[in-house]
Every structure is written in structure tokens, then in C-alpha cells.
Amino acid sequence: MVLNIIGIGLGDEKDITLKGFELVKKSDIVYLENYTSKLNCDVSKLEKLYGKKIILANRNLVENKTEIVDNAVKKDVSLLIIGDVFGATTHIDIVQRAREKKIKINIVHNTSIINAVGETGLSLYKFGRVTSIPFDNKDIVSPIKVFEENSQIELHTLFLLDLRPDENKFMSVNEAIEYLLKNKVDENKMAVACCAMGSDKQIIKYGKLKELKYKKFDVYPQCLIIPGKMHFMEEEFLEFYKL
Ligand SMILES: C[S@@+](CC[C@H](N)C(=O)[O-])C[C@H]1O[C@@H](n2cnc3c(N)ncnc32)[C@H](O)[C@@H]1O
């Protein structure tokens, strides 16, 4: 019948849009994709507000199995995505598979970490390629390459940090900085730590990599930005977050 793919924002159960909420209310089956990000509330809060049982969908269920798309042939199915639907690289594929089966699809957008970082004051228009630092990063150089390429053309770099929500494992800004320093990024570079953005526990801190490295941030998920060339307005805005 229909597959609704609904971004539910970054913070908690109340960040869903009215459009998304109404589609969830009408759904026979509701899944929550829970491997590319983490909300700052329990799933029970979503179930209570939406009045629906929520099935947690891991990578295998979303990307390999046909269950979600098959169910949408006969029923109204909603797949909830933390942040925005297309804020992670993986959700194009399920849309494509549903299209092939001629299933009606509704996409409902929401805030992503990709635009929430605008609250740092850094212009979203001046970010270069986004890169991710994986847990197993011993021989991984691509985040450093992306950073160097962005820096050469004076653009800001957003580093997303690995996470395994099913194991309650999240990479911290400190671990990310350790990786950058090991790969010869200058410890005096200024950077911005962004933690649990969009939630009421949100933390933004601005400082040198060598200072941020020792600061403990205990709310997740986290990401890190190294600014490129800044306009004086961006610099002034960031002063508010200085360590
Ligand atoms: C695949 S991306 C985000 C996907 C999500 N669909 C979105 O649109 O925001 C996941 C990574 O983004 C970062 N991230 C996501 N939400 C965050 C938040 N609220 N605060 C800080 N970083 C966040 C973390 O580094 C996390 O590992």
C-alpha cells in the first residue's frame, strides 16, 4: 500500500513533524532504523506519543532483508529515521527497492546533523566534503585526505564519528582527536566539538585540538568540525563556545 520514510529529527519523540506524525498514526507497522544514529530518549517515549509499537530495524533488516518493502505491498508501513531520511548514505537503496515494486512512497524530511551544525555559527555553505572516522582506523587515511582537500580550498570539515548503538558504543570527540593527532594534524588547530545536538543536553565547545582532547563530553552522539577560513562573523559567533 504505502511506505513512509520519515525523518524524526535529532532530539526526542517530539521532533517529528506534524506530517510525519499523521502518517505514523495511520500506519499498520512502524520500524525505527537504529544503526546510523541515536536519539536522546528511549524508544518507549516514541511508542507512547505515537500510540504504536515500534520495531527496531538493524542494518540487516533495512539493507539486506526484504521484510519492510514486502510488508509495504499490502500494508501501510513507516520507517522512522533519526535525523533526516537522507542524512546517512544508506537509505537511497530502500527507496529504490520500493520504487521497483511500484509501492507508493512518502518521504518526510527533518533536521539532520548535517545542518544542525549551523548552530556553531559556521556557514553551512562553506563546508567541504563530510567524512567519517571509523572505530577501526589504524590504516585508514581517507578522513585525513578529505580534511586536507577541504583545507586547501579553505572549507570547513565535518567529521562524523563511528557508532554502534546496539552495543551502546559511540566514538567520542577525544578518540577522534587522538586519531587526527596520530595522523599529524596540527594540535594547535582550532576545532568545534558538537555533542547531542538538537537535544536538551546539547554541548558545543570550541578550542585547540590539544585542549579539546582532554575535555570530557559525556553525551552522545558526537561529531567534530575543523573550520577552514572563517569570516569574522563566524569567528565572533564561535567565541561564545570557547573553552
Ligand atoms: C550517519 S550520521 C547521521 C545520520 C542521521 N540520519 C542524520 O540525518 O543526522 C551519524 C553520525 O552523525 C553524528 N551525529 C548524529 N546525530 C548527532 C547529534 N545529535 N549530535 C552530534 N553528532 C551527531 C555522529 O557523528 C554520528 O555518528
Side-chain angles (χ1 to χ4, degrees):
M1 298 245 287
V2 62
L3 177 61
N4 307 308
I5 310 186
I6 302 170
I8 58 169
L10 298 173
D12 58 32
E13 76 280 14
K14 293 185 185 154
D15 285 330
I16 194 166
T17 62
L18 191 51
K19 192 182 267 181
F21 183 73
E22 286 176 352
L23 289 171
V24 172
K25 281 297 217 188
K26 284 196 280 182
S27 296
D28 302 305
I29 307 176
V30 182
Y31 296 94
L32 171 67
E33 184 272 83
N34 77 330
Y35 59 92
T36 64
S37 202
K38 174 191 182 290
L39 270 186
N40 268 289
C41 75
D42 286 339
V43 175
S44 59
K45 289 262 177 78
L46 274 66
E47 291 184 321
K48 192 163 171 225
L49 181 66
Y50 308 162
K52 296 282 173 185
K53 165 128 196 52
I54 290 179
I55 302 166
L56 294 182
N58 62 18
R59 188 180 293 276
N60 194 28
L61 189 61
V62 177
E63 295 178 19
N64 302 325
K65 293 198 170 171
T66 58
E67 174 184 318
I68 299 177
V69 173
D70 287 349
N71 279 335
V73 174
K74 294 206 174 121
K75 295 186 171 167
D76 283 7
V77 174
S78 285
L79 172 61
L80 310 181
I81 311 288
I82 299 165
D84 184 54
V85 175
F86 299 116
T89 49
T90 65
H91 300 116
I92 288 283
D93 173 66
I94 195 162
V95 175
Q96 192 66 5
R97 282 185 282 132
R99 276 186 186 160
E100 281 161 13
K101 292 209 169 199
K102 308 266 183 282
I103 294 167
K104 178 171 164 29
I105 303 163
N106 293 309
I107 307 279
V108 184
H109 292 287
N110 208 314
T111 309
S112 169
I113 187 59
I114 307 289
N115 63 292
V117 292
E119 197 174 335
T120 60
L122 292 169
S123 166
L124 293 179
Y125 292 6
K126 287 166 54 189
F127 276 77
R129 263 180 70 196
V130 177
T131 184
S132 301
I133 304 180
F135 284 120
D136 301 322
N137 56 36
K138 203 165 147 270
D139 300 313
I140 301 288
V141 291
S142 58
I144 303 293
K145 284 230 163 82
V146 169
F147 165 60
E148 285 170 354
E149 284 165 15
N150 288 343
S151 303
Q152 264 169 23
I153 46 174
E154 302 183 336
L155 298 178
H156 311 320
T157 303
L158 170 61
F159 296 93
L160 301 178
L161 313 184
D162 207 354
L163 76 188
R164 291 187 199 136
D166 49 339
E167 296 170 31
N168 208 19
K169 196 172 166 197
F170 302 91
M171 185 183 287
S172 64
V173 160
N174 317 78
E175 290 170 90
I177 294 175
E178 232 166 75
Y179 164 79
L180 295 175
L181 299 186
K182 245 188 231 157
N183 284 281
K184 311 263 181 307
V185 174
D186 179 356
E187 62 176 8
N188 288 307
K189 274 241 167 277
M190 297 300 283
V192 193
C194 299
C195 313
M197 296 292 284
S199 78
D200 46 17
K201 303 173 197 152
Q202 169 177 307
I203 301 171
I204 302 175
K205 286 290 168 202
Y206 178 52
K208 291 185 176 162
L209 285 173
K210 68 179 180 193
E211 297 164 340
L212 287 168
K213 186 178 164 198
Y214 295 106
K215 181 100 184 109
K216 270 273 154 266
F217 303 108
D218 53 6
V219 287
Y220 296 90
Q222 303 185 354
C223 62
L224 185 74
I225 303 166
I226 302 190
K229 185 168 193 265
M230 288 190 274
H231 184 265
F232 75 90
M233 294 270 286
E234 292 176 294
E235 280 188 69
E236 267 178 31
F237 201 88
L238 272 175
E239 280 300 307
F240 178 77
Y241 304 113
K242 210 158 186 188
L243 281 176

